Amino acid sequence: MSDLVPALRAQSGPVDLSAIATDATPGFSGKKHEGIDALEALGPDLADLQERLFAHGRSGGHRSLLLVLQGMDTSGKGGTLRSTVGLIDPQGVRITSFKAPTPEELEHDFLWRIRKALPGPGYVGVFDRSHYEDVLIARVRGLAKPEEIERRYDAINSFEEELVEHGTVVLKCMLHISAEEQKERLLARLDDPTKHWKYNPGDIDEREHWPAYQEAYELAIERTHTDAAPWYVIPADRKWYRNLAIGHLLLDALSSFQLGWPAADFDVEHEKRRLAEEDPLS
Amino acid sequence: MSDLVPALRAQSGPVDLSAIATDATPGFSGKKHEGIDALEALGPDLADLQERLFAHGRSGGHRSLLLVLQGMDTSGKGGTLRSTVGLIDPQGVRITSFKAPTPEELEHDFLWRIRKALPGPGYVGVFDRSHYEDVLIARVRGLAKPEEIERRYDAINSFEEELVEHGTVVLKCMLHISAEEQKERLLARLDDPTKHWKYNPGDIDEREHWPAYQEAYELAIERTHTDAAPWYVIPADRKWYRNLAIGHLLLDALSSFQLGWPAADFDVEHEKRRLAEEDPLS
């Protein structure tokens, strides 16, 4: 296991995000160019391990991986998809981006739409935002009553425990940036006409609730950081470190399956003969 | 437009797949290493154009792209996903692999599960197999009556025309390999224990119906090759050419949208001031 993985794992008990430097590089002492090279170097192992998982999924296996990406606007969920998730064969990846719930989704329990998007056997599922929005924006914006938010923490823990029991590794990452870094990134979007589409005036409205969001994250992490489905807090002011960190977490999760290649459930020599001798097209 | 695109477009009228060399490289005169370099060289343009499409999708635009991949076992649908679709930011790609229909799917019209998997605005959807299975294996294996197959051709044409009218470019590719090439690829899978999971004895059962499948493809292409949603037949014995060809087709389709960057629907200077002056976190 890489040094990064234990360094990023959330502590049990109360969480103080302000005590975690957003520009730190825990578990990695190299510079930026070394971090970029280190991520690229993970590519072959990630590809090999993901293919084993996919192969087992095709062969009756029941394991899967769910990567949950949470973070404030501009924290780099999209960049993580491109730079780190993009290292994995897209054939085995299923990404779901969760927006504000639709009227139909609002008629159901908050986990309804989440269950429909879970990765099937052998897949790496990635949630760009997730059921955690239902205890984050829902708390900050008062979209649900406090007792409902409390119920949801427990519901999430039961849900994730159930996923893990059924063979899914649940990898929850909070991309942790500073308010100053967000401001710079928002200004950069405003300064570049090719990035205006990424900007929404509502982003500043949300930004005004920054302290409340940090508190909501702290509470959510504290209440849902379990042995079955732990949280990782990723310092994300440095994009290269964020990408490398998620790469190591994915590699660690895929390694934990300890999968070889599925054994043939057919007679290999017999099939070779069928193909060589009995083939009507020969 | 690249020379490859018109060279790959199916002819109108009856289709004779046996007249299309599976190891040809229509529209490209270079060697393998040049083809590999040429595909890599498409990367930046593909990324730029896909991001414009995605940006428009986020800004109220209604355009999307649907790439349909069809072909016999081992024809390289998975390799295309990895090598060509993998060049595009996974954030904007949604891949669906269609297997044999579930009991629930069989209770509905054959297009029911297809409609649920269509790409949303701004997305590149990729179908690994598709509604065409319902006129291919369904015809060869007699899973539907001839009159139902006939109905489906028309239903597909109406469906695809509707998609195009609503802003989707539908790009249908048949990966065209020879029976000899398939035999080599199946043998290679049998020879490599890390590839046994890709092999299924049923593949040879299907292979025994090779001529019937070729005929079913010829009929399907003839009946569903429309101005709105034309077919492309991709010689696919050479993997590098297959990847390059699909890359050019994607590039051509994305270019056809002729999208600039969405204009800001907010006052940029006002937002800069809000962020710089009125920010409570400054």
Side-chain angles (χ1 to χ4, degrees):
Chain A
M1 188 193 290
S2 155
D3 290 345
L4 282 82
V5 176
L8 295 167
R9 190 172 166 126
Q11 304 287 314
S12 296
V15 177
D16 178 6
L17 284 172
S18 69
I20 301 173
T22 54
D23 61 353
T25 63
F28 189 77
S29 56
K31 296 193 194 319
K32 177 177 178 177
H33 71 92
E34 292 166 306
I36 290 170
D37 290 349
L39 176 63
E40 195 182 332
L42 296 183
D45 280 348
L46 277 174
D48 176 72
L49 291 168
Q50 179 270 330
E51 192 179 9
R52 288 167 194 252
L53 174 63
F54 192 71
H56 276 265
R58 286 289 176 90
S59 309
H62 60 289
R63 310 306 306 269
S64 63
L65 173 58
L66 176 62
L67 171 64
V68 173
L69 295 177
Q70 283 288 159
M72 300 295 287
D73 284 329
T74 78
S75 64
K77 298 180 290 293
T80 301
L81 293 176
R82 186 167 51 249
S83 301
T84 305
V85 176
L87 294 173
I88 301 179
D89 184 348
Q91 190 178 10
V93 177
R94 290 296 180 268
I95 298 170
T96 308
S97 296
F98 290 98
K99 310 289 178 193
T102 63
E104 185 190 18
E105 288 169 349
L106 285 172
E107 282 178 16
H108 294 81
D109 182 68
F110 75 107
L111 292 174
W112 179 72
R113 63 176 185 162
I114 304 294
R115 288 183 185 276
K116 292 201 299 178
L118 290 171
Y123 280 88
V124 176
V126 184
F127 284 178
D128 169 8
R129 302 188 187 270
S130 67
H131 43 301
Y132 283 98
E133 293 296 323
D134 297 287
V135 293
L136 293 167
I137 191 171
R139 183 178 197 274
V140 172
R141 294 300 207 155
L143 306 179
K145 291 180 179 167
E147 54 268 32
E148 168 63 9
I149 302 285
E150 285 297 321
R151 185 194 74 79
R152 289 181 184 175
Y153 295 136
D154 294 335
I156 287 172
N157 287 336
S158 299
F159 169 64
E160 292 178 352
E161 189 179 348
E162 174 197 327
L163 294 185
V164 172
E165 276 173 9
H166 285 82
T168 302
V169 166
V170 180
L171 185 56
K172 304 186 291 195
C173 296
M174 188 253 177
L175 307 185
H176 180 41
I177 58 169
S178 67
E180 294 70 30
E181 179 69 19
Q182 188 194 52
K183 182 176 183 172
E184 282 186 27
R185 292 183 184 183
L186 288 173
L187 279 173
R189 288 180 180 180
L190 287 169
D191 278 335
D192 181 352
T194 75
K195 304 281 186 235
H196 284 168
W197 65 275
K198 294 188 179 186
Y199 184 88
N200 184 326
D203 296 347
I204 296 189
D205 302 333
E206 291 304 307
R207 179 174 164 77
E208 288 171 0
H209 297 277
W210 187 278
Y213 271 107
Q214 297 298 299
E215 188 185 351
Y217 268 106
E218 288 172 346
L219 280 171
I221 294 171
E222 178 182 348
R223 293 294 305 275
T224 64
H225 178 63
T226 61
D227 286 339
W231 272 100
Y232 295 87
V233 178
I234 319 291
D237 281 1
R238 299 174 199 254
K239 295 175 183 175
W240 65 266
Y241 177 78
R242 172 202 74 205
N243 293 338
L244 177 63
I246 309 258
H248 273 292
L249 288 167
L250 284 174
L251 189 71
D252 182 61
L254 290 167
S255 301
S256 74
F257 292 124
Q258 297 189 296
L259 297 175
W261 293 102
D265 58 357
F266 49 84
D267 181 335
V268 174
E269 294 309 317
H270 174 70
E271 293 299 318
K272 285 186 188 174
R273 281 195 302 277
R274 270 181 83 198
L275 199 53
E277 296 167 16
E278 300 163 30
D279 182 18
L281 298 171
S282 294
Chain B
M1 188 192 292
S2 155
D3 290 344
L4 281 84
V5 176
L8 294 167
R9 189 172 166 127
Q11 304 288 314
S12 294
V15 177
D16 178 6
L17 284 173
S18 69
I20 301 174
T22 54
D23 60 354
T25 63
F28 188 77
S29 56
K31 293 192 194 322
K32 177 177 177 177
H33 71 92
E34 292 165 307
I36 291 170
D37 290 349
L39 177 62
E40 196 182 331
L42 297 183
D45 280 348
L46 278 174
D48 177 71
L49 291 168
Q50 178 271 328
E51 192 179 8
R52 287 167 195 253
L53 175 63
F54 192 71
H56 276 264
R58 287 288 177 88
S59 309
H62 61 288
R63 310 305 308 267
S64 62
L65 173 59
L66 176 63
L67 170 66
V68 174
L69 295 176
Q70 283 289 158
M72 300 294 288
D73 284 328
T74 78
S75 64
K77 298 180 290 292
T80 301
L81 293 177
R82 186 168 49 249
S83 301
T84 304
V85 176
L87 294 173
I88 301 178
D89 184 348
Q91 189 178 10
V93 177
R94 290 295 180 268
I95 299 171
T96 308
S97 296
F98 290 98
K99 310 290 179 193
T102 63
E104 185 191 17
E105 288 168 350
L106 285 172
E107 282 177 17
H108 294 82
D109 181 68
F110 75 108
L111 292 173
W112 180 72
R113 63 175 185 164
I114 305 295
R115 287 184 186 276
K116 292 201 298 177
L118 291 171
Y123 280 89
V124 177
V126 184
F127 285 178
D128 168 10
R129 302 188 187 273
S130 67
H131 44 299
Y132 283 97
E133 293 296 323
D134 298 288
V135 293
L136 294 167
I137 191 170
R139 181 178 197 274
V140 173
R141 294 301 208 156
L143 306 178
K145 292 180 179 167
E147 55 268 31
E148 168 64 9
I149 302 286
E150 284 298 320
R151 184 194 74 80
R152 288 181 184 175
Y153 295 136
D154 294 335
I156 287 172
N157 287 337
S158 299
F159 169 65
E160 292 178 351
E161 190 179 347
E162 174 198 327
L163 294 186
V164 172
E165 276 174 8
H166 285 82
T168 302
V169 166
V170 181
L171 184 57
K172 304 185 291 193
C173 297
M174 188 254 177
L175 307 185
H176 181 40
I177 58 168
S178 67
E180 295 70 30
E181 179 69 18
Q182 188 193 53
K183 183 175 184 172
E184 281 185 31
R185 293 183 183 182
L186 288 173
L187 279 173
R189 289 181 179 180
L190 287 168
D191 278 335
D192 181 351
T194 74
K195 305 282 186 233
H196 283 168
W197 65 274
K198 294 188 179 185
Y199 183 88
N200 183 326
D203 296 347
I204 297 189
D205 303 333
E206 292 304 308
R207 178 174 164 78
E208 289 172 0
H209 297 277
W210 186 279
Y213 271 107
Q214 297 298 299
E215 189 185 350
Y217 269 105
E218 289 172 346
L219 281 170
I221 293 171
E222 178 182 348
R223 293 294 304 275
T224 63
H225 179 62
T226 61
D227 287 339
W231 271 101
Y232 295 87
V233 179
I234 319 291
D237 281 2
R238 298 175 199 253
K239 296 174 183 175
W240 65 265
Y241 177 78
R242 173 202 73 205
N243 293 338
L244 177 64
I246 310 261
H248 273 291
L249 289 167
L250 284 174
L251 190 71
D252 183 60
L254 290 168
S255 300
S256 74
F257 292 124
Q258 298 188 292
L259 297 176
W261 293 103
D265 58 358
F266 49 85
D267 180 336
V268 174
E269 294 309 317
H270 174 71
E271 292 300 318
K272 284 186 190 176
R273 280 194 302 276
R274 271 183 82 198
L275 200 52
E277 295 166 18
E278 298 163 30
D279 183 19
L281 297 170
S282 294

